[in-house]
Amino acid sequence: MKVSTALKAAAAIAACLLLFSCKKEEKVTELSVSSRAVSFTADAGEQTVTITSNSSWMVASTASWFTVSPTSGSGDGSFKIAVGANDGFEVRSADVTVTAGDKTQTVKVSQLAQTPSLDVSPASFDVEHPGLKDAELTITSNAPWTLTIPSDCDWITADKTEGTGTTVVKLTVLANVLRETRSAVLTVKETVGGNQKEVSVSQEMGPRSRLTDSLALVAFYNATDGANWKADRVWDLTKPMDDTDAKWYGVTLDEEGRVTALKLMKGTITAAWTMPAAISELTELTELRFVDCQLTGEFPESLYGLTKLEVLFLTNNKLTGQLSDKISQWKDIEQIYIDQNPDLGGSLPKEIGQLTKLNNLNIAKTAISGTIPAEIKGCAALKNFMAYSTSITGIPDVWDQLPALELIQLYSNKGLTGEIPASMGKCAKIKNIWLYDCNLTGNVPETFANLPTSCIGLRIQDNKLSGTVPAAVKAHANWTRWKADQYIFPQQEGYGLE
């Protein structure tokens, strides 16, 4: 009995030891990864994650924008994460789960987004007045874009105003018929990051034409309060210039419909006005007459641009300022009448001598002052020179160099001093010399004895002449016609011709 009991006890102890030994040798799962976060740029790529484990493992993810391989293994190993390019503009992320037995490791996977970009070429267009068709504008962007044309720009259109990627937009620029350059700024904007580029379009002014002439006349009509002109001279702007029913009073057109003459006489315009710059658009104008028309302001600079002008009448208005050296641009001018503008001053520009076709110059009853420039001798066609009642103070001795000269009127110039130029007696075609009521001194030039018999008017009374009339002058065939007692004498008080 004792032996049996001892054996049973020993067996029980052995069983306990065996059981303890088995529990101590049970396997423990191990799992770790080389990186808990993996990041990528927006481009495609792949990275490797190393697994350390003493067991079999599995890799899983629900993301569709990358792949993992292999998805399973045992013991130490690795798997690759491969991402495609991120074409979007938002950062994306997802988890990769690695499992071994009861162990889990998570790897955070992230990928940067695209940066919105925009490029536009060319940045500007310089367009000639006839316009452009299908001008190419290249837009390159990785984001959607829009093209905006200013709402007040009805002369530019585009075949596309939105898109994405590289796109060629075709622009159409209409012909510019206006006499002014025009410009616009187009805006291209990508809609993700807000980047934008500007495209400048500039177009030269259109050529002058019948249309620009009519627009210039409308500007002139409005500047002169045309609706209140003398009733029977009001224009009908709803009808063409050459429509006889339109009654475009004072307007003359050539065969091509261009304005060649604009003539408005006394009583037409009823209110004071200044010359609009648009008048310079009438480039075919050869004759301009505004007589007694209440024209005010400084002598219009716009008139110098009328380079085909032959006749200019601005008589009896209220102009101020003065003539400028730009008168040299009137190469074809034949007649200049700016008389009876009492506040028009300054001196006569020496460039007057460049007007070789000028035959009539009337500056009478103005405030033009100073000495008449000697360059006037260049006016080879000059027949009639009228400068009475001005502020002129001196006259050059060049009159015999004007072969066509017939009339000199310099009377009633109280500031005019000095001697009578001898050259006046050598003018082969002279008919009238009126120098009375001035402050001229000295004697009657002996050259007056050679005045042609065509000189029926010699008036030099009311000056400060002295001495004795040369005998040769007294012997002239026209001496009695000149009425010496009225037109030669008297001189001013205290002076005489004994």
Side-chain angles (χ1 to χ4, degrees), residues 3 12-13 16 70 91 112 120 192 203 267 340 348 351 406 470 491:
V3 173
I13 293 170
C16 289
V91 174
L112 298 176
V120 179
V192 175
Q203 188 176 24
Q340 301 180 64
L348 198 60
E351 286 75 15
E406 296 180 0
Q491 295 303 310

Side-chain angles (χ1 to χ4, degrees), residues 372-390:
I372 298 168
E375 285 81 1
I376 200 169
K377 64 186 179 183
C379 300
L382 190 62
K383 293 176 64 176
N384 300 308
F385 178 70
M386 294 152 281
Y388 55 88
S389 299
T390 68

Side-chain angles (χ1 to χ4, degrees), residues 385-388 395 406-413 416 424 430-438 440 448 455-461 463 482 487:
F385 178 70
M386 294 152 281
Y388 55 88
I395 46 179
E406 296 180 0
L407 172 67
I408 301 173
Q409 289 184 330
L410 281 163
Y411 62 89
S412 295
N413 288 313
L416 183 56
M424 286 186 178
I430 198 71
K431 294 180 179 179
N432 285 280
I433 300 176
W434 291 11
L435 302 174
Y436 66 87
D437 194 24
C438 297
L440 295 170
F448 277 19
C455 182
I456 58 175
L458 175 61
R459 302 186 63 175
I460 57 175
Q461 76 273 18
N463 278 287
W482 293 339
Y487 298 159

Side-chain angles (χ1 to χ4, degrees), residues 200-211:
S200 299
V201 181
S202 178
Q203 188 176 24
E204 68 178 358
M205 68 176 66
R208 294 177 175 94
S209 64
R210 173 187 170 89
L211 173 61

Side-chain angles (χ1 to χ4, degrees), residues 62-384:
T62 59
S64 60
W65 51 275
F66 66 84
T67 60
V68 294
S69 63
T71 56
S72 62
S74 181
D76 294 342
S78 64
F79 65 91
K80 291 183 178 180
I81 301 173
V83 300
N86 185 358
D87 295 326
F89 300 98
E90 293 184 359
V91 174
R92 53 189 181 183
S93 63
D95 292 340
V96 173
T97 303
V98 181
T99 305
D102 60 350
K103 300 293 181 64
T104 299
Q105 293 286 316
T106 300
V107 179
K108 299 284 186 180
V109 181
S110 63
Q111 186 177 26
L112 298 176
Q114 292 285 340
T115 300
S117 63
L118 176 66
D119 185 64
V120 179
S121 179
S124 63
F125 290 92
D126 291 323
V127 185
E128 296 180 348
H129 70 81
L132 279 177
K133 186 177 181 181
D134 296 338
E136 294 188 350
L137 179 68
T138 302
I139 300 174
T140 304
S141 178
N142 59 2
W145 53 263
T146 58
L147 169 64
T148 302
I149 299 174
S151 58
D152 60 351
C153 179
D154 57 358
W155 47 280
I156 301 176
T157 57
D159 67 338
K160 303 178 188 69
T161 56
E162 59 183 24
T164 190
T166 299
T167 306
V168 175
V169 176
K170 292 185 177 180
L171 300 177
T172 297
V173 181
L174 300 179
N176 187 6
V177 298
L178 302 177
R179 285 296 300 155
E180 57 183 18
T181 58
R182 57 186 181 183
S183 61
V185 176
L186 315 185
T187 303
V188 181
K189 183 176 182 179
E190 55 87 1
T191 59
V192 175
N195 296 316
Q196 69 179 38
K197 301 282 187 179
E198 291 183 343
V199 179
S200 299
V201 181
S202 178
Q203 188 176 24
E204 68 178 358
M205 68 176 66
R208 294 177 175 94
S209 64
R210 173 187 170 89
L211 173 61
T212 57
D213 279 5
S214 66
L215 293 175
L217 287 183
V218 170
F220 163 75
Y221 187 76
N222 291 333
T224 57
D225 191 23
N228 290 311
W229 284 3
K230 187 176 180 181
D232 61 346
R233 299 177 184 178
V234 173
W235 293 349
D236 185 350
L237 301 184
T238 67
K239 295 178 181 179
M241 294 184 292
D242 53 0
D243 189 326
T244 55
D245 293 331
K247 298 179 180 178
W248 286 58
Y249 168 78
V251 177
T252 302
L253 306 178
D254 63 13
E255 293 180 355
E256 297 180 355
R258 297 295 305 277
V259 178
T260 57
L262 180 57
K263 298 180 284 185
L264 300 184
M265 308 309 286
K266 181 178 180 179
T268 302
I269 299 174
T270 59
W273 59 288
T274 58
M275 190 78 73
I279 205 76
S280 65
E281 295 300 311
L282 303 176
T283 52
E284 294 299 313
L285 204 64
T286 60
E287 185 172 357
L288 182 64
R289 294 177 186 258
F290 295 139
V291 177
D292 197 4
C293 283
Q294 302 196 61
L295 174 59
T296 64
E298 293 193 357
F299 191 89
E301 284 282 318
S302 53
L303 298 186
Y304 298 121
L306 303 177
T307 56
K308 293 187 178 181
L309 207 58
E310 297 174 5
V311 177
L312 176 64
F313 271 76
L314 299 177
T315 297
N316 198 16
N317 284 289
K318 298 177 181 178
L319 290 172
T320 60
Q322 63 185 52
L323 295 174
S324 85
D325 57 6
K326 293 180 181 178
I327 62 171
S328 61
Q329 297 175 198
W330 293 335
K331 298 298 185 183
D332 294 325
I333 198 76
E334 296 177 5
Q335 300 183 53
I336 298 176
Y337 281 75
I338 55 175
D339 54 305
Q340 301 180 64
N341 285 278
D343 294 320
L344 180 64
S347 58
L348 198 60
K350 66 179 186 300
E351 286 75 15
I352 193 76
Q354 298 180 33
L355 308 184
T356 58
K357 296 182 181 180
L358 182 65
N359 55 57
N360 284 276
L361 176 60
N362 192 341
I363 59 173
K365 294 187 177 181
T366 68
I368 291 176
S369 61
T371 298
I372 298 168
E375 285 81 1
I376 200 169
K377 64 186 179 183
C379 300
L382 190 62
K383 293 176 64 176
N384 300 308

